Amino acid sequence: MTSEPQKNQRPERYNAREAEARWQRVWDERGIFATANSDPRPKYYVLEMFPYPSGRIHMGHVRNYTMGDVVARYKRAMGHAVLHPMGWDAFGMPAENAAMAQKVHPKTWTYENIAAMKKQLQSMGLSLDWAREVATCDPAYYKHQQKMFLDFLAAGLVKREYRKVNWDPVDQTVLANEQVIDGRGWRSGALVEQRDLYQWVFKISDYAEELLEALDTLDRWPDKVRLMQKNWIGRSEGLLIRFALDTATTPNGESELEIFTTRPDTLFGAKFMAVSPDHPLAAAAAKENPELAAFIEQCHHMGTSQAAIDTADKMGFDTGIRALHPFDASWTLPVYVANFILMDYGTGAIFGCPAHDQRDLDFVNKYGLGNTPVVCPEGQDPASFVITAEAYEGDGRMINSRFLDGMTTAEAKEEVARRLENTFSVSGDTDSIRHHEAAGVAGPRRATAPADHPSRLASLAPQDDGSRNVPGGGSRPIAQRQVNYRLRDWGISRQRYWGCPIPIIHCEKCGTVPVPASELPVTLPDDVSFDKPGNPLDRHPTWKHIRCPACGGEARRETDTMDTFVDSSWYFIRFTDPWNEKAPTTPHVANAWMPVDQYIGGIEHAILHLLYSRFFTRAMKKTGHVDLDEPFAGLFTQGMVVHETYRTKSGEWVMPAEVTITSEGDKRTAALTATGEDVEIGPIEKMSKSKRNTVDPDDIMDSYGADVARWFMLSDSPPDRDVIWSEEGVQGASRFVQRLWRLIGEIADVDAPAARPSNFSEQALAVRKAAHRALAHVSEDIAKLRFNRCVAHIYECANALSDAIGAAESKPSPDFAWALREAGDILVRLFHPMMPHLAEECWAVLGHDSLVSTESWPEVEESLLVESTITLPVQINGKKRADVTVAREAGKAEIEAAVLALDTVQRALDGKSPKKVIVVPQRIVNVVA
RNA sequence: GCGGACGUGGCGGAACGGUAGACGCAACGGACUUAAAAUCCGUUGGGCGUAAGCCCGUGAGGGUUCGAGUCCCUCCGUCCGCACCA
């Protein structure tokens, strides 16, 4: 068919380099990816997690943004007003590290990186609306964040708290938990200390219950992520019990110890009480007891690393304080300070029931306190049920428990709760325990009043404020039902320069005073030095000195900046109207675009970023910035890009670009391209700088083009799994690009009639069916983000068209030519979301004046998907033995008759009649002989 | 320890409870070429057989079903998350 002279001057090979730049210019000039807020079409908001401007994009970005772009282009073709923006998560430590190492200002470094990465992203041909670009380090962005901080403060969503933090003594800053690796600072390698510092805290725990419950509504989120968030929030129901203390034994006459338990049923198995080394009662007791003080000191110096926790013994110190059993005042329990009690969880105090808790059992076995089993497993004889080294933590029947005996675990829990809720203490004076908090210092996160921590420790029972508020400490119940959460409030203070300043002023007289909204933004000073560690803002000569807005006296600015997770907790809403200079959002615009319909990013953000954003959106709702609870309706977490590793004999890692692979048969060997030195091929691992198994996207774009990189990223691996980047795979993608180019060329060369023929030959029909079937599959698979299957179907379609052309006569009939042309048009539009530049070029070759990027999605001709006859597999006793071809609409009886007439079936039946014939119309037939 | 996911050819992977291995990669054979590249045609789960065909095959073992990669139970392995959470 190519024997005729070319109809137009097409190069034999598609030149990606030239074509990609050209089409990117055209798209840009025509502004086709800008989205107006006034667009009346149904909205679709697709977003990929915005990058940190580290300097260069990596293959993970290529994969992430390619997936988002496929969705954006598909939805655009489907007639949606698509919002597809991009920005920069531009604050953070690396800029300061660069400042220290290279003497470059963080701002300069960041903006240079943004410029470089933007250029790289643009070379990928992403259909982004760059007019909405935001950088979180821009005062035009962070001034709104400061405003919202003040709004949240006014709404009671922010507090200042003295809390334990991870402190890096070398870098002199607070580290987030994830920046602490095996007890050491990730950058400095210094042993991390626990320090008490004032922190600004977002009260995310106020929303614990709501954040948990709403997970059920996120039906387009991966189950995995929902489960991780659920576990992170960590809800547990139990009982808050106020144990009376023998005041003769307490240092300051403390009369109560509050504990939280999920196992009130085991109360009669109690052998001891234990409080955290950080518990106020421990501190009070330590004042009078140097040995105890030394013990607490020792606990503080125990490592927080995994290994330290795993190997740490259960250790305790008897304070001499005695607690009274709630059901028997004559029964006293020793109160220990124990190293395994966390101040962060519950009330920082427990009662220990060794028989039914492994930790408690280990503890008593060490200190010789014994144990009494109180829950007997079903089917076990209570008389012979003893606990020695292994606690029984399951349910069963109550024993050794007085009035609980014989009850089930659940009944006993209920009975204990019911009784203690209706038992009233006489004292009610817990001031001695609470004095610490009243002084505004180490407010332990205790389950005192529901009003203090309304959802972290919310009362399940009707509130009985009456009894609590009786002046002089009247009676109140000994226990109340409580819900406890593992989720902690979000400390956002960082002792860093390159972050959003916290808009607060500290005044000797007035305390903490918000910066007046009219004075926002509080901008970062440019003249800072990084010659020593610590926070440059704090040692800046003038910046922090300011007049108090309230009294006019001398005051100082808050020099801590916000955790960068704050910046990324609302950028997706800012994209809806980044031009609004007056306010963070334009509510009706934000409400119209939100929620994000499809959010795509790495699984590593499953908890922190996604949970913070869910909280922040609710806080923005509460403060009137948007009317929405859940920011992300659909979430997709893509897998990593992984690659083989290469290592020289001397053990040095070598980059893929420096290696030449040769294969003889199935055996592959590698050698350094430069010297020929043999290189060992190592396991496939996540691309990382340390293993040097990275591939630079720029190199791939240069040698193959963006479309090849995009196509390969979508091929083979399901998008939520890791994809192995390999040279062979890229070359395969590259070959396919050229193949499509030739195929479309051949189709373009066919003389096709303009009018649709009224009849199609079998040959023409086959072509049409192949195209429409691919169309149906690709549409469905893009919508479900199953890009690897889209790729397979596009291959199948291209293969079918090539075969059809190969089998056709040299002078194709008009109906066949028309069908080919139609198939070509469909095919180009099908692969356009994945390979937009090639698609534009092919679209032009097919003679269209329009841009394929603005074309609508082709429509399936449903009649082409159904066959008039259908071939069913025929099984005999469940094994496939034959095929039978019947009319599509053939009924069961008709099919059965056809099947029984088959030779194979007759032979198998050997004259007998079948026991059973299962006919599943349009699926399968099974003959049971 | 707790929770979750996964296990299919040489490799990445397809497969509403219904023909296991789509599609790609790699490999092998052939065509074209002085040659190479590119391209095109073909073969490719294992075993038996000249062939028609038959048998075995989705980590292991059991079960449900006319029929199981898919559902249930037990076990093994790999990966991920959380972890002294009261």
Side-chain angles (χ1 to χ4, degrees):
Chain A
M1 274 174 66
T2 47
S3 53
E4 285 180 55
Q6 305 96 309
K7 305 222 166 137
N8 50 38
Q9 293 300 314
R10 265 197 320 275
E12 251 178 67
R13 284 184 68 79
Y14 169 67
N15 183 345
R17 222 177 212 284
E18 182 276 325
E20 289 183 354
R22 178 156 42 80
W23 288 113
Q24 283 162 18
R25 226 165 23 243
V26 172
W27 297 332
D28 193 39
E29 280 161 10
R30 301 202 196 169
I32 57 173
F33 303 131
T35 311
N37 281 346
S38 56
D39 197 315
R41 293 172 297 175
K43 72 99 180 180
Y44 194 89
Y45 187 177
V46 55
L47 183 69
E48 302 96 60
M49 290 179 185
F50 68 163
Y52 178 79
S54 58
R56 308 193 63 75
I57 64 168
H58 53 67
M59 281 300 176
H61 293 127
V62 174
R63 192 175 193 203
N64 191 184
Y65 302 145
T66 299
M67 289 180 191
D69 200 45
V70 170
V71 174
R73 287 176 177 271
Y74 170 70
K75 288 290 175 181
R76 215 174 272 121
M78 291 295 284
H80 288 85
V82 170
L83 181 57
H84 188 212
M86 182 56 74
W88 310 95
D89 188 13
F91 272 137
M93 290 267 301
E96 285 185 63
N97 296 337
M100 284 184 259
Q102 305 158 31
K103 307 257 178 286
V104 53
H105 195 280
K107 186 194 269 182
T108 313
W109 185 84
T110 301
Y111 277 100
E112 279 174 5
N113 285 349
I114 287 176
M117 288 175 74
K118 185 172 178 180
K119 209 171 149 219
Q120 287 185 295
L121 289 186
Q122 285 172 328
S123 73
M124 283 182 63
L126 304 170
S127 63
L128 292 164
D129 183 356
W130 282 105
R132 293 172 187 261
E133 179 182 6
V134 297
T136 57
C137 65
D138 185 345
Y141 180 84
Y142 69 69
K143 77 174 180 188
H144 300 298
Q145 191 164 305
Q146 292 173 337
K147 175 64 168 55
M148 286 193 286
F149 178 92
L150 298 179
D151 291 347
F152 292 1
L153 187 66
L157 292 166
V158 180
K159 64 181 174 183
R160 192 153 182 257
E161 194 176 76
Y162 197 64
R163 42 145 94 173
K164 284 226 171 320
V165 292
N166 302 307
W167 179 261
D168 185 322
V170 172
D171 281 352
Q172 304 213 350
T173 184
V174 167
L175 295 179
N177 285 335
E178 56 271 25
Q179 291 166 344
V180 180
I181 299 154
D182 283 339
R184 292 173 181 273
W186 67 280
R187 209 182 75 86
S188 68
L191 272 177
V192 168
E193 300 169 3
Q194 300 292 301
R195 271 206 190 182
D196 290 309
L197 273 188
Y198 279 104
Q199 287 272 296
W200 287 99
V201 170
F202 282 161
K203 289 162 76 178
I204 188 172
S205 64
D206 281 8
Y207 289 86
E209 187 62 39
E210 206 185 315
L211 288 169
L212 179 68
E213 275 177 10
L215 286 173
D216 288 339
T217 68
L218 298 174
D219 54 355
R220 291 205 295 120
W221 279 40
D223 289 343
K224 180 170 53 166
V225 174
R226 291 195 287 178
L227 187 69
M228 281 165 73
Q229 293 214 351
K230 184 180 169 211
N231 292 338
W232 187 264
I233 294 169
R235 181 186 202 272
S236 57
E237 284 183 17
L239 203 58
L240 179 85
I241 307 178
R242 300 182 184 91
F243 276 67
L245 297 175
D246 176 355
T247 50
T249 65
T250 55
N252 304 309
E254 290 90 342
S255 60
E256 266 189 18
L257 178 60
E258 291 183 328
I259 62 99
F260 174 77
T261 180
T262 56
R263 292 299 300 273
D265 55 306
T266 63
L267 209 42
F268 288 103
K271 289 291 169 189
F272 66 98
M273 312 281 294
V275 301
S276 162
D278 299 315
H279 196 280
L281 191 60
K287 276 193 187 140
E288 300 173 356
N289 186 340
E291 278 183 72
L292 175 58
F295 175 76
I296 291 173
E297 187 62 17
Q298 193 191 339
C299 291
H300 284 155
H301 278 95
M302 280 213 328
T304 49
S305 72
Q306 198 49 58
I309 289 169
D310 286 347
T311 55
D313 262 346
K314 303 281 173 282
M315 290 199 302
F317 191 100
D318 185 354
T319 59
I321 299 169
R322 293 296 175 265
L324 312 182
H325 196 281
F327 286 121
D328 183 349
S330 68
W331 178 348
T332 61
L333 294 159
V335 179
Y336 279 73
V337 172
N339 65 341
F340 61 93
I341 310 299
L342 307 174
M343 196 56 224
D344 278 335
Y345 189 76
T347 65
I350 61 155
F351 82 83
C353 176
H356 305 291
D357 183 294
Q358 191 59 47
R359 239 178 3 189
D360 296 347
L361 186 64
D362 293 346
F363 188 77
V364 296
N365 284 346
K366 181 160 179 184
Y367 292 99
L369 299 171
N371 77 74
T372 307
V374 292
V375 181
C376 184
E378 283 312 329
Q380 171 91 35
D381 177 13
S384 64
F385 185 53
V386 285
I387 298 286
T388 50
E390 212 165 298
Y392 174 67
E393 300 188 348
D395 290 349
R397 290 273 168 195
M398 301 311 298
I399 53 170
N400 303 326
S401 295
R402 306 189 186 179
F403 54 84
L404 297 176
D405 283 351
M407 290 184 187
T408 64
T409 302
E411 287 162 357
K413 280 181 182 169
E414 176 59 31
E415 181 63 15
V416 169
R418 196 186 60 75
R419 288 198 185 213
L420 291 182
E421 273 174 338
N422 293 299
T423 307
F424 293 82
S425 66
V426 279
S427 134
D429 174 18
T430 55
D431 282 355
S432 50
I433 297 178
R434 209 178 292 163
H435 77 281
H436 217 73
E437 191 176 18
V441 228
R445 301 154 47 75
R446 290 181 305 125
T448 47
D452 292 347
H453 304 287
S455 61
R456 185 178 155 76
L457 272 170
S459 174
L460 283 181
Q463 303 237 338
D464 51 355
D465 285 343
S467 63
R468 288 192 61 248
N469 294 337
V470 172
S475 64
R476 53 181 192 149
I478 281 181
Q480 64 197 75
R481 290 168 212 248
Q482 305 253 254
V483 177
N484 205 2
Y485 299 94
R486 190 185 157 278
L487 179 66
R488 305 191 41 185
D489 278 329
W490 175 16
I492 60 153
S493 296
R494 296 290 180 271
Q495 292 67 45
R496 306 307 319 173
Y497 164 74
W498 196 232
C500 172
I502 295 174
I504 288 289
I505 292 163
H506 298 280
C507 171
E508 285 283 327
K509 278 192 236 155
C510 313
T512 55
V513 182
V515 173
S518 60
E519 289 175 23
L520 295 181
V522 176
T523 51
L524 292 167
D526 283 334
D527 53 333
V528 283
S529 68
F530 292 91
D531 45 358
K532 13 179 207 256
N535 184 354
L537 284 180
D538 201 34
R539 58 167 188 265
H540 189 278
T542 57
W543 185 78
K544 70 177 171 184
H545 301 295
I546 190 171
R547 294 270 154 199
C548 169
C551 69
E554 276 187 26
R556 60 174 186 85
R557 285 191 189 283
E558 170 67 65
T559 56
D560 283 353
T561 52
M562 293 185 207
D563 181 0
T564 56
F565 274 111
V566 179
D567 312 339
S568 55
S569 290
W570 69 286
Y571 77 103
F572 40 87
I573 305 184
R574 182 65 189 168
F575 278 141
T576 61
D577 188 358
W579 305 284
N580 187 338
E581 293 174 14
K582 298 267 189 298
T585 68
T586 307
H588 76 273
V589 175
N591 295 340
W593 279 116
M594 291 297 290
V596 174
D597 294 278
Q598 185 64 61
Y599 197 34
I600 309 177
I603 186 72
E604 67 272 19
H605 294 111
I607 295 172
L608 293 178
H609 164 58
L610 292 167
L611 193 61
Y612 291 153
S613 298
R614 295 180 62 217
F615 158 71
F616 211 90
T617 303
R618 285 170 168 81
M620 285 176 74
K621 180 183 180 183
K622 187 171 183 185
T623 49
H625 295 293
V626 71
D627 185 19
L628 170 86
D629 291 315
E630 288 295 339
F632 311 121
L635 173 70
F636 189 84
T637 53
Q638 101 260 5
M640 295 183 300
V641 183
V642 296
H643 197 285
E644 275 180 339
T645 48
Y646 307 104
R647 221 168 176 174
T648 61
K649 290 254 154 43
S650 53
E652 283 162 49
W653 300 105
V654 186
M655 298 191 74
E658 302 169 311
V659 168
T660 304
I661 307 278
T662 39
S663 47
E664 293 172 20
D666 277 337
K667 198 168 179 275
R668 299 169 70 246
T669 51
L672 279 179
T673 312
T675 63
E677 184 194 338
D678 277 354
V679 174
E680 194 189 326
I681 300 179
I684 295 167
E685 296 189 55
K686 177 186 182 175
M687 284 192 181
S688 74
K689 279 182 191 148
S690 59
K691 297 276 169 71
R692 305 200 77 206
N693 60 338
T694 56
V695 172
D696 188 344
D698 269 358
D699 290 349
I700 301 300
M701 307 276 190
D702 280 351
S703 37
Y704 295 100
D707 285 340
V708 168
R710 292 170 61 122
W711 183 253
F712 178 57
M713 275 303 182
L714 300 168
S715 311
D716 294 352
S717 290
D720 54 345
R721 284 199 224 166
D722 292 350
V723 63
I724 302 170
W725 185 274
S726 70
E727 187 62 23
E728 293 88 345
V730 183
Q731 282 171 3
S734 180
R735 274 199 300 275
F736 187 57
V737 164
Q738 297 300 338
R739 226 185 104 200
L740 280 175
W741 173 247
R742 289 192 303 271
L743 175 64
I744 295 299
E746 286 179 53
I747 291 174
D749 288 345
V750 170
D751 265 327
R756 177 194 167 113
S758 47
N759 287 304
F760 291 100
S761 63
E762 206 167 299
Q763 204 184 22
L765 213 49
V767 165
R768 299 199 68 215
K769 282 175 181 170
H772 282 265
R773 221 168 265 153
L775 169 58
H777 281 128
V778 171
S779 309
E780 190 191 338
D781 287 333
I782 289 184
K784 292 180 178 167
L785 309 181
R786 296 190 294 211
F787 305 118
N788 56 322
R789 303 212 309 188
C790 294
V791 165
H793 286 123
I794 288 168
Y795 267 110
E796 275 179 341
C797 181
N799 290 348
L801 297 192
S802 297
D803 289 351
I805 292 173
E809 329 241 316
S810 59
K811 191 83 184 150
S813 61
D815 66 318
F816 181 69
W818 190 92
L820 262 188
R821 238 358 224 275
E822 181 201 26
D825 278 3
I826 289 175
L827 178 61
V828 171
R829 281 180 291 174
L830 282 189
F831 71 72
H832 144 257
M834 296 89 177
M835 297 188 283
H837 313 87
L838 175 69
E840 291 291 4
E841 197 76 359
C842 288
W843 193 245
V845 164
L846 286 171
H848 299 285
D849 296 329
S850 61
L851 291 176
V852 73
S853 297
T854 56
E855 277 295 313
S856 59
W857 197 247
E859 273 181 47
V860 185
E861 210 168 297
E862 298 286 343
S863 63
L864 289 169
L865 304 184
V866 292
E867 301 281 355
S868 59
T869 63
I870 181 165
T871 300
L872 298 176
V874 174
Q875 294 184 334
I876 294 168
N877 295 330
K879 291 188 177 178
K880 197 218 159 189
R881 283 291 182 268
D883 291 301
V884 66
T885 301
V886 293
R888 187 188 155 71
E889 61 279 1
K892 284 193 180 189
E894 199 177 328
I895 295 171
E896 184 170 336
V899 166
L900 291 179
L902 292 172
D903 279 355
T904 327
V905 175
Q906 284 300 323
R907 244 181 289 129
L909 286 175
D910 198 19
K912 290 174 226 132
S913 58
K915 289 203 185 95
K916 199 170 179 184
V917 179
I918 292 112
V919 179
V920 186
Q922 295 174 44
R923 278 258 148 237
I924 202 164
V925 181
N926 191 10
V927 179
V928 185

